[in-house]
Amino acid sequence: EPEVTQTPSHQVTQMGQEVILRCVPISNHLYFYWYRQILGQKVEFLVSFYNNEISEKSEIFDDQFSVERPDGSNFTLKIRSTKLEDSAMYFCATVASGGAGETQYFGPGTRLLVL
Amino acid sequence: AQTVTQSQPEMSVQEAETVTLSCTYDTSESDYYLFWYKQPPSRQMILVIRQEAYKQQNATENRFSVNFQKAAKSFSLKISDSQLGDAAMYFCAYQYNNNDMRFGAGTRLTVKP
């Protein structure tokens, strides 16, 4: 069964450094999402992406964050200058056609630790 | 704003028994979707079951079923014949159209052998 993959599985970085989290969506999926989960807390929506544009973003997704699909396959989340509070698990999710109520398929996540 | 509430931070069930996880939500929409996701220790979230709000019939998926009460805005998950592999965090989620999915805080389910 096709899966969403994410790299790296773990990332440790110093505060103020830039990180790029990568996601490979299921082939032919068109909608992409990033979520984050701070340890012990609920999963929170960050941003959705369709047709090379941000569709929707939450208040968490400030100017430090950006997303792109640089090569038509990978979907990346960049945090420009990491803060301690960015430490979390980051999940990518993809949807086939973005129709209402479609199942979102989640990747295994990247655990980011900012020191 | 749509919110999802899971009032049970932790639940425990004996193997082979039945357990029900609670979820309530708040919305002004009439057409939306509800989900239960399972997050085992490996941390990848897996869809357990999905319910369309316009359908009155409760969704079922093998040992998993839901009790969807639209008027009460309640969406509980029942796990029958619980197995050790069912131990995980369970998240209830709400989605309207193709917008972002709103998650509850989760319920940690322990299955005792």
Side-chain angles (χ1 to χ4, degrees):
Chain A
E1 186 175 338
E3 291 182 338
V4 178
T5 58
Q6 289 184 242
T7 56
S9 58
H10 294 78
Q11 173 101 41
V12 181
T13 189
Q14 294 291 323
M15 189 171 59
Q17 295 296 305
E18 175 184 284
V19 295
I20 297 176
L21 310 183
R22 292 181 170 80
C23 168
V24 178
I26 294 173
S27 179
N28 297 323
H29 278 202
L30 299 177
Y31 275 80
F32 314 113
Y33 302 79
W34 282 104
Y35 294 85
R36 80 172 185 190
Q37 185 182 27
I38 295 172
L39 187 65
Q41 297 186 23
K42 68 170 67 176
V43 177
E44 300 172 293
F45 167 76
L46 292 177
V47 66
S48 60
F49 189 84
Y50 170 72
N51 200 26
N52 288 319
E53 288 184 348
I54 290 175
S55 300
E56 190 176 354
K57 60 183 180 179
S58 71
E59 60 276 8
I60 302 169
F61 194 88
D62 60 23
D63 291 343
Q64 297 282 58
F65 292 90
S66 63
V67 289
E68 63 175 358
R69 203 170 179 218
D71 55 10
S73 60
N74 289 297
F75 176 51
T76 63
L77 173 69
K78 182 191 292 186
I79 309 174
R80 184 166 44 227
S81 178
T82 50
K83 303 187 284 286
L84 296 177
E85 54 265 37
D86 293 328
S87 295
M89 196 77 167
Y90 288 82
F91 292 101
C92 170
T94 74
V95 173
S97 59
E102 271 195 76
T103 299
Q104 294 191 15
Y105 292 87
F106 284 79
T110 293
R111 183 181 295 280
L112 176 65
L113 178 60
V114 182
L115 301 176
Chain B
Q2 297 93 357
T3 57
V4 179
T5 302
Q6 293 179 250
S7 58
Q8 306 154 316
E10 295 185 358
M11 289 286 283
S12 179
V13 63
Q14 205 69 35
E15 194 176 5
E17 297 295 308
T18 295
V19 64
T20 299
L21 309 183
S22 301
C23 173
T24 59
Y25 57 93
D26 184 30
T27 184
S28 58
E29 306 295 340
S30 60
D31 210 6
Y32 48 86
Y33 300 82
L34 297 163
F35 305 82
W36 277 98
Y37 276 88
K38 171 185 177 182
Q39 188 182 40
S42 66
R43 301 194 70 84
Q44 182 162 12
M45 282 203 291
I46 305 162
L47 179 68
V48 174
I49 201 163
R50 171 181 176 276
Q51 174 81 42
E52 294 127 326
Y54 63 85
K55 287 187 177 179
Q56 292 190 342
Q57 187 173 7
N58 289 324
T60 63
E61 195 70 45
N62 299 318
R63 296 183 295 108
F64 299 88
S65 62
V66 297
N67 183 5
F68 174 48
Q69 301 288 328
K70 191 172 184 179
K73 295 180 183 174
S74 170
F75 182 61
S76 61
L77 174 70
K78 184 170 84 170
I79 306 174
S80 304
D81 186 26
S82 298
Q83 300 175 0
L84 295 177
D86 295 333
M89 280 291 282
Y90 285 82
F91 291 98
C92 178
Y94 163 99
Q95 186 184 45
Y96 170 62
N97 282 342
N98 61 348
N99 293 335
D100 62 278
M101 197 170 290
R102 301 294 172 105
F103 288 85
T107 296
R108 181 176 302 283
L109 177 67
T110 302
V111 181
K112 296 179 180 178

